[in-house]
Amino acid sequence: MALFQSDNPTLSQKIFSRSIAQDEAGTMTVRGSVGKFGFLLFMVLAAASYTWYLYYNNQPQTMMTLMWVGIIGGLISVLAICFKPTLAPYLSPAYGILEGFFLGAISAVLNDAFSEKYPGLVMQAVGLTFGVALAMFLLYNFRVIKATERFKSTIFAATAGIAIFYLITLVLRLFHVNIPFMYDSSLLGIGLSLFIVAIAALNLIIDFDMIEKGADMGAPKYMEWYGAFGLLVTMVWLYVEILKLLSRFAGRK
């Protein structure tokens, strides 16, 4: 699912540089990546609407099956695209659909669980996700925040730390050892969520920078799909973390 990937590994300078040496008709443009990102986002929303529909039409078993297909298939798609970027035009739409299955399922479950305490939780999460993304784009576009090498290194280290922390937590759960603040609505848990949301948001700055630099470097046309895919990975992570944060707030009511 690659929810915790982004320095963004999918948008690394090395990958863009390596792609330039390849013979490919046409070159990458920022507009092309933006258009393809819009298409992938549509795939996510369409698939999410379907699993949402299944949940509210008494087909939870089918929904759960699709959710797990989305989790496993999404992870496989990410690994395949990262190792072979030329597959991005073919696998990126599949990744969008698979992530949509997953996001629609968890969104429906949480929306129903907090329907009384926090009505409209999912719509607020969606709105905040796009709001944060727009804010990050404006901050990047007007160079309020610059993607310097020090900035990239700091965000990468923080992102890697979060990924390791999540992995340790997952392994501990397999041995029935739970870390309470990872799941509860304590102030520590909320603080952790706020920190992770901030890091996910700042990863968008790096994503924008890598797409722009890829276009400036004259990367081949297929890298538009790769750039759009990498941006979607971060957006999915940001949404999940915002949804988790709002759920923590709802738990305190």
Side-chain angles (χ1 to χ4, degrees), residues 85-128:
T86 52
L87 294 176
Y90 314 104
L91 292 183
S92 293
Y95 171 77
I97 293 171
L98 291 165
E99 285 301 301
F101 286 155
F102 165 69
L103 295 179
I106 63 168
S107 296
V109 170
L110 289 176
N111 189 70
D112 190 36
F114 295 104
S115 59
E116 293 185 6
K117 285 186 174 182
Y118 204 138
L121 178 141
V122 169
M123 291 308 298
Q124 290 185 44
V126 171
L128 282 171

Side-chain angles (χ1 to χ4, degrees), residues 107-154:
S107 296
V109 170
L110 289 176
N111 189 70
D112 190 36
F114 295 104
S115 59
E116 293 185 6
K117 285 186 174 182
Y118 204 138
L121 178 141
V122 169
M123 291 308 298
Q124 290 185 44
V126 171
L128 282 171
T129 300
F130 284 105
V132 169
L134 177 60
M136 290 299 106
F137 172 74
L138 293 175
L139 289 171
Y140 171 76
N141 190 56
F142 292 105
R143 299 302 188 260
V144 177
I145 299 179
K146 297 180 181 179
T148 63
E149 290 306 313
R150 177 175 293 184
F151 175 86
K152 292 177 184 178
S153 297
T154 301

Side-chain angles (χ1 to χ4, degrees), residues 6-8 11 16 28 30 33-34 37 129-143 145 147 151-152 200-216 227-228 230-232 234-235 238:
S6 195
D7 164 288
N8 186 326
L11 294 176
F16 275 100
M28 176 183 182
V30 172
S33 286
V34 171
F37 172 73
T129 300
F130 284 105
V132 169
L134 177 60
M136 290 299 106
F137 172 74
L138 293 175
L139 289 171
Y140 171 76
N141 190 56
F142 292 105
R143 299 302 188 260
I145 299 179
F151 175 86
K152 292 177 184 178
L202 291 172
N203 267 281
L204 290 172
I205 299 292
I206 300 175
D207 296 347
F208 298 144
D209 181 68
M210 286 294 106
I211 290 174
E212 187 175 55
K213 285 184 177 177
D216 291 342
L231 184 56
L232 183 63
T234 305
M235 286 289 288
L238 179 62

Side-chain angles (χ1 to χ4, degrees), residues 39-53:
F39 174 75
L40 295 180
L41 192 59
F42 175 77
M43 294 289 99
V44 172
L45 294 175
S49 297
Y50 183 60
T51 45
W52 178 285
Y53 168 83

